[in-house]
Amino acid sequence: MTTRLSHLFLRTLRDNPVDAEVASHRLLVRAGYIRRAAPGIYSWLPLGLTVLRRLEQIVREEMNAIGAQEVHFPALLPKEPYEISGRWKTYGDGIFVLGDRKSEEVEPRVRRPNYLLAPTHEEMFTLLVKDLYSSYKDLPVNLYQIQTKYRDEARPRAGLLRGREFVMKDSYSFCVTDEDQHAAYEAHRAAYVRIFDRLGLPAVPVAADNGTMGGSASEEFLFPCDIGEDTFVESPGGYRANVEAVTSVPPEPEAYDDAPAAVVHHTPGTDTIQTLVDAANAHHPRQDRPWTAADTLKNVVVVVVTPDGERHVAIIAVPGDRDVDFKRAEATIGSTLGIEGEISVEAAESEDFARHPGLVAGYIGPGMSLDAAHLGKDSATGIPYLADPRIVSGSRWITGANQSDYHVFGLVAGRDFTWDAPIESVVVQDGDPAPDGSGPLSTRRGIELGHIFMLGRYFSEVLGLKVLDENGKQSTVAMGSYGFGVTRALAALVEANHDDRGIIWPAAVAPADIHLVATGKGSEVFEAAEELAQQLEAAGLSVIYDDRPKASPGVKFGDAELVGVPTIVVVGRGLADGNVEVKDRRSGQAENVTLTGAVAHLVERAATLR
RNA sequence: CGGGAUGUAGUUCAGUUUGGUAGAGCGCUCGCUUUGGGAGCGAGAGGUCGCAGGUUCAAAUCCUGUCAUCCCGACCA
């Protein structure tokens, strides 16, 4: 059916919406694809829904192609499965919760949440398989759904790129053996590569943090883009990883047999790395080269905050030219320190220092000798002491002497001090070496469009998903989880495909194959355009036909470019010579084609675009 | 949760400093003209100025409170 602009529920906007910062948000609203309903929540108009459905269909086809089967869960779920998995608590404020009428336990009109709007569905998939399958013969199985998900984002932004309601494809693989699980993972990985290929989106897989649910392998598909919220690194040799997942390359340990004993120097007014380096060079210079920040050991006081609000102080030692990335620290510090739950890492505040009088701000150090350790679980202070992998045995440092205005010079790691555990926590910098030896890293921003990972057996364990194996024994099922942000990908497509006039859809998801514009006086152009539209539809092309009788040519051209269908056909002044104009939206190039040959030409063109 | 900003017509904004009873562009309706790059003329519709108090003869404008939204950061399997 030809879409007629005279009837289409569409109103394009000439002004940019005041709340839209990024291109995709601006253009999708201006071109009449979506409307904001609430912060981070959008309504879909006819054009937007068409594109969304086409995008979903591509994902569906590629999921079906790897043998995954589509199911559909409710978005509204009871809280019990999430309580069992622990995520009712660990997700915290991140989920929308609500109470039904039976939840009025305390007094009327006060409801206690006993339902949630699902942020993701691991629990439900796991329980469904548990419900129906009980034999190894039933596995492996891959299930997926394309669902609306809800997350109560603290700060929704950038239109569809970070919403509180969004469409996501999530699939899950259930296998008896790790080998099968690995195969399911690889199949999903290949399917994602094909999806991005069909969309023409240059999203790349990067090594990712496994997160709090454990698991062994994890990759994110990031679309490189300056407005992206994720930072990843890449090397010339092809190593790619999210900054949260990068591992450092430590230097070789040094021999220290001939290292002189550490010395304490009076270093007044040196409570920052810079003042310390300046003072060291001024009053205690070394022979061969000046001291730099990299010669100092910075002991950063952090606080690990538990979901209950408990504050555990810890100290992370890093070279003085480096900063601690709290987010990276968060990934592992909980398990390192044996603190359970979804923790966060923050900078220590004065109240934290107040509880640990042994910490002299600006002059903190591990102590002068192993016998008199100042930091560490077994030390005088009892404060856990973690160190960056760059601090290797034999490395020598200038660091605090735990007394105001005094520093130790020549403190040797492994000889004079030690630490409870290593930790990856420094901010990754351009030029750091890739862990696989493939060259120096450079950082880029990206939009996370997909995340695939092997979940291991966490959910199947806590929810009791076991099958009988071939020996008749209970075997806990291994799971994989694979997310794909459908609405986010739609926005990313606009980020990747637009110019200052509007959207330029790839043919694979465009709301139509042809945007047909009739312009001119008299009924001839409209009659000719009408007939052309019918012939194009009969030839299998979808058409948006601008049949508005009163709109001026400028308005029609402007709208066509804003809406972004890849091929614009103009029936107008050329008609007197038997011609129509075919314009490529992306290049802007136009050519005249005879009216009689137009259908054949456009069918051929559409075939090359697809 | 910190920092910044803004709430006036469908929309984008002016008006607030200096209080005097509501404005413009775009969009929308009607008529005539116009039709290859966001047309012209004429006539219209449309607003509890976020909300609640207060000051005042009089509040969009001043004061207090409150709510909401946006941006930056924190947060974000």
Side-chain angles (χ1 to χ4, degrees):
Chain A
M1 265 275 285
T2 299
T3 302
R4 288 161 201 284
L5 281 195
S6 59
H7 291 96
L8 182 64
F9 187 64
L10 171 73
R11 177 120 302 140
T12 57
L13 307 177
R14 191 177 297 195
D15 295 312
N16 281 320
V18 66
D19 57 349
E21 290 283 309
V22 303
S24 60
H25 186 191
R26 232 169 30 226
L27 291 172
L28 286 168
V29 172
R30 273 190 60 202
Y33 285 76
I34 58 171
R35 297 291 297 172
R36 196 189 77 112
I41 303 178
Y42 292 84
S43 307
W44 293 81
L45 309 188
L47 285 180
L49 202 53
T50 302
V51 174
L52 179 61
R53 294 287 179 252
R54 294 197 69 188
L55 183 48
E56 286 177 359
Q57 187 55 28
I58 288 173
V59 175
R60 185 173 282 123
E61 286 169 11
E62 294 300 336
M63 283 297 106
N64 293 343
I66 60 169
Q69 301 173 65
E70 186 168 8
V71 298
H72 198 77
F73 285 99
L76 177 63
L77 297 175
K79 72 173 177 180
E80 284 75 17
Y82 287 77
E83 282 191 319
I84 294 169
S85 70
R87 296 206 298 176
W88 179 261
K89 199 175 247 179
T90 58
Y91 244 111
D93 293 334
I95 51 174
F96 280 103
V97 296
L98 61 166
D100 69 1
R101 67 211 312 158
K102 293 182 181 171
S103 69
E104 295 181 0
E105 294 169 0
V106 189
E107 55 181 292
R109 309 216 68 84
V110 175
R111 295 188 174 191
R112 297 196 156 178
N114 55 351
Y115 280 82
L116 75 156
L117 292 173
T120 175
H121 281 78
E122 276 82 356
E123 288 83 351
M124 301 308 291
F125 275 89
T126 306
L127 290 171
L128 184 65
V129 173
K130 178 188 178 186
D131 200 19
L132 297 174
Y133 277 6
S134 52
S135 163
Y136 75 97
K137 293 177 187 171
D138 295 321
L139 303 182
V141 65
N142 286 302
L143 300 175
Y144 76 98
Q145 67 172 344
I146 295 174
Q147 238 300 12
T148 306
K149 309 282 191 183
Y150 297 86
R151 289 184 201 173
D152 189 4
E153 294 285 349
R155 184 156 104 76
R157 73 187 92 179
L160 298 181
L161 285 173
R162 181 164 213 82
R164 297 195 293 170
E165 179 186 280
F166 54 95
V167 176
M168 185 176 181
K169 185 285 299 177
D170 52 329
S171 42
Y172 303 86
S173 56
F174 299 88
C175 302
V176 178
T177 67
D178 290 342
E179 292 72 35
D180 285 352
Q181 194 52 253
H182 199 78
Y185 179 90
E186 289 301 326
H188 269 91
R189 191 179 195 279
Y192 277 34
V193 170
R194 280 193 297 276
I195 291 169
F196 289 119
D197 188 49
R198 287 178 67 177
L199 296 176
L201 260 186
V204 294
V206 310
D209 177 37
N210 288 328
T212 52
M213 288 187 292
S216 46
S218 170
E219 286 170 289
E220 290 170 349
F221 282 80
L222 298 185
F223 163 57
C225 179
D226 288 342
I227 61 162
E229 297 186 306
D230 284 85
T231 306
F232 70 102
V233 295
E234 59 185 354
S235 75
Y239 174 84
R240 287 199 187 90
N242 192 301
V243 286
E244 294 167 41
V246 181
T247 49
S248 306
V249 182
E252 288 297 311
E254 300 169 40
Y256 52 78
D257 300 339
D258 56 349
V263 183
V264 173
H265 286 301
H266 184 50
T267 53
T270 56
D271 58 356
T272 65
I273 294 294
Q274 188 57 51
T275 53
L276 173 60
V277 170
D278 292 345
N281 283 317
H283 305 297
H284 312 283
R286 65 178 165 186
Q287 301 299 317
D288 50 346
R289 58 201 150 84
W291 298 110
T292 69
D295 296 307
T296 68
L297 186 67
K298 182 158 67 177
N299 296 288
V300 180
V301 184
V302 302
V303 179
V304 182
V305 183
T306 70
D308 301 332
E310 289 175 41
R311 300 173 71 84
H312 301 269
V313 168
I315 292 181
I316 298 177
V318 299
D321 60 337
R322 292 290 182 148
D323 289 317
V324 170
D325 182 334
F326 291 165
K327 204 168 160 186
R328 286 193 74 204
E330 255 168 39
T332 55
I333 200 168
S335 56
T336 301
L337 298 181
I339 298 170
E340 307 240 323
E342 192 87 344
I343 51 91
S344 70
V345 175
E346 300 171 5
E349 294 168 12
S350 51
E351 56 163 302
D352 302 306
F353 279 93
R355 286 189 289 117
H356 295 278
L359 298 179
V360 184
Y363 301 91
I364 297 169
M368 275 289 281
S369 72
L370 292 174
D371 300 332
H374 191 70
L375 302 175
K377 284 177 180 170
D378 303 324
S379 70
T381 58
I383 299 171
Y385 191 43
L386 308 172
D388 181 74
R390 288 169 188 77
I391 298 160
V392 293
S393 175
S395 56
R396 293 144 211 213
W397 305 94
I398 301 174
T399 192
N402 299 305
Q403 188 180 348
S404 198
D405 295 338
Y406 286 90
H407 278 90
V408 190
F409 284 57
L411 203 67
V412 176
R415 183 191 73 180
D416 301 323
F417 71 100
T418 185
W419 47 93
D420 296 315
I423 186 169
E424 289 283 0
S425 71
V426 305
V427 175
V428 178
Q429 294 175 356
D430 278 20
D432 282 353
D436 64 354
S438 62
L441 298 174
S442 54
T443 58
R444 292 176 80 183
R445 306 277 281 176
I447 298 170
E448 181 186 353
L449 297 180
H451 194 166
I452 56 176
F453 65 102
M454 296 203 236
L455 275 178
R457 292 179 168 79
Y458 175 75
F459 285 96
S460 44
E461 190 72 55
V462 296
L463 294 166
L465 171 58
K466 297 174 197 276
V467 294
L468 286 181
D469 66 17
E470 49 197 322
N471 300 317
K473 291 186 176 171
Q474 294 283 345
S475 174
T476 302
V477 172
M479 291 174 58
S481 156
Y482 317 91
F484 182 94
V486 179
T487 44
R488 189 180 270 186
L490 191 153
L493 278 168
V494 179
E495 293 295 334
N497 301 286
H498 71 274
D499 59 20
D500 55 358
R501 294 175 174 224
I503 303 170
I504 309 170
W505 289 112
V509 297
D513 295 308
I514 307 291
H515 190 117
L516 180 61
V517 173
T519 180
K521 286 195 255 199
S523 57
E524 299 84 11
V525 288
F526 290 96
E527 286 163 9
E530 182 76 42
E531 191 177 337
L532 180 56
Q534 284 180 22
Q535 290 171 351
L536 289 168
E537 291 279 349
L541 300 184
S542 57
V543 179
I544 292 174
Y545 171 33
D546 194 344
D547 61 337
R548 290 174 296 179
K550 297 236 169 141
S552 70
V555 170
K556 291 183 175 185
F557 295 146
D559 279 351
E561 283 155 344
L562 181 59
V563 166
V565 172
T567 304
I568 299 168
V569 176
V570 184
V571 179
R573 65 184 174 196
L575 189 63
D577 303 320
N579 289 330
V580 299
E581 189 177 282
V582 175
K583 277 205 256 193
D584 181 76
R585 169 66 184 92
R586 190 175 294 274
S587 68
Q589 289 191 333
E591 58 178 329
N592 280 319
V593 176
T594 62
L595 179 59
T596 48
V599 173
H601 178 88
L602 290 167
V603 167
E604 189 180 338
R605 178 181 154 81
T608 63
L609 286 175
R610 273 174 185 164

